[in-house]
Amino acid sequence: GAVVSQHPSWVICKSGTSVKIECRSLDFQATTMFWYRQFPKQSLMLMATSNEGSKATYEQGVEKDKFLINHASLTLSTLTVTSAHPEDSSFYICSARSGQDLYSNQPQHFGDGTRLSIL
Amino acid sequence: KQEVTQIPAALSVPEGENLVLNCSFTDSAIYNLQWFRQDPGKGLTSLLLIQSSQREQTSGRLNASLDKSSGRSTLYIAASQPGDSATYLCAVFGTASKLTFGTGTRLQVTL
């Protein structure tokens, strides 16, 4: 159980293109979803946290107009990288968690990540 | 600001050995701690979650301990196998209501 599906797994596109990444919880209700970015040989950096039906909370230094997050249902969140440029190339990973509490003790379950390459 | 450190950064052991990975965190006010494994180019697989009130959790050949007051956790892997080769990450969930990840330990188990 507790499967998180992320799609696509790999995207290559031209500079200036907008790219949408989907994150789905397949067998549980994801009250909260998280989006991370990971650079080579580095740990995960939290970009934003989203609760179903609410606006996402972005971490300091993350441009909300560049990285649009939508969490319209309890099983789906999307990250759209708008007008992507080569510096946006990275590995993006989503995570989902159940539980209503802000400090929920439920574990976070992660997708397999999306490798984004902007030419 | 919570900081999480993992030692060693890399480890190579022969198959069959038992091994210990270490994780330390600076702010002991945590709700839980999770250990994950990450294979190259992949997402994270949750291995164990320890609530702040617990001392240890076990799953198969894995045992994780937590000493919240001293800000330390260990992940013990018994009878290591080549399939255990991966990067292991610990992460603490604290008062900022988000996971703070460690720097990771890259494990290689050789034949």
Side-chain angles (χ1 to χ4, degrees), chain A residues 34 36 38 41-44 46 49 59 91 93 97 102-113 115, chain B residues 31-32 34 36 38 41-46 49 51-52 89 93-99 101-104 106:
Chain A
F34 307 84
Y36 295 85
Q38 187 177 33
K41 296 188 178 181
Q42 294 189 24
S43 194
L44 280 71
L46 180 65
T49 302
E59 295 297 301
F91 191 57
I93 307 177
R97 185 189 71 195
L102 182 65
Y103 298 102
S104 171
N105 268 329
Q106 295 298 312
Q108 282 185 224
H109 303 282
F110 287 76
D112 274 344
R115 184 158 304 283
Chain B
Y31 293 94
N32 61 56
Q34 273 188 270
F36 299 90
Q38 184 176 29
K42 297 291 186 181
L44 276 64
T45 301
S46 179
L49 179 145
Q51 305 290 358
S52 61
L89 295 165
F93 186 73
T95 54
S97 68
K98 63 181 181 181
L99 280 177
F101 283 87
T103 46
R106 290 191 306 281

Side-chain angles (χ1 to χ4, degrees), chain B residues 46-99:
Chain B
S46 179
L47 298 174
L48 290 164
L49 179 145
I50 310 178
Q51 305 290 358
S52 61
S53 59
Q54 297 175 324
R55 298 284 293 182
E56 66 178 335
Q57 282 286 332
T58 298
S59 176
R61 295 182 293 108
L62 305 179
N63 176 277
S65 68
L66 174 63
D67 184 344
K68 198 177 85 161
S69 60
S70 68
R72 295 177 188 275
S73 175
T74 61
L75 179 66
Y76 175 82
I77 302 177
S80 59
Q81 303 171 358
D84 295 330
S85 299
T87 296
Y88 289 81
L89 295 165
C90 77
V92 297
F93 186 73
T95 54
S97 68
K98 63 181 181 181
L99 280 177

Side-chain angles (χ1 to χ4, degrees), chain A residues 58-107:
Chain A
Y58 289 80
E59 295 297 301
Q60 191 172 8
V62 178
E63 299 176 62
K64 59 182 67 177
D65 294 330
K66 160 70 82 174
F67 300 100
L68 301 179
I69 292 171
N70 183 278
H71 190 173
S73 77
L74 285 171
T75 59
L76 174 65
S77 176
T78 60
L79 167 67
T80 301
V81 184
T82 62
S83 187
H85 292 286
E87 59 266 27
D88 299 322
S89 298
S90 190
F91 191 57
Y92 294 86
I93 307 177
C94 74
S95 173
R97 185 189 71 195
S98 62
Q100 300 282 346
D101 193 348
L102 182 65
Y103 298 102
S104 171
N105 268 329
Q106 295 298 312

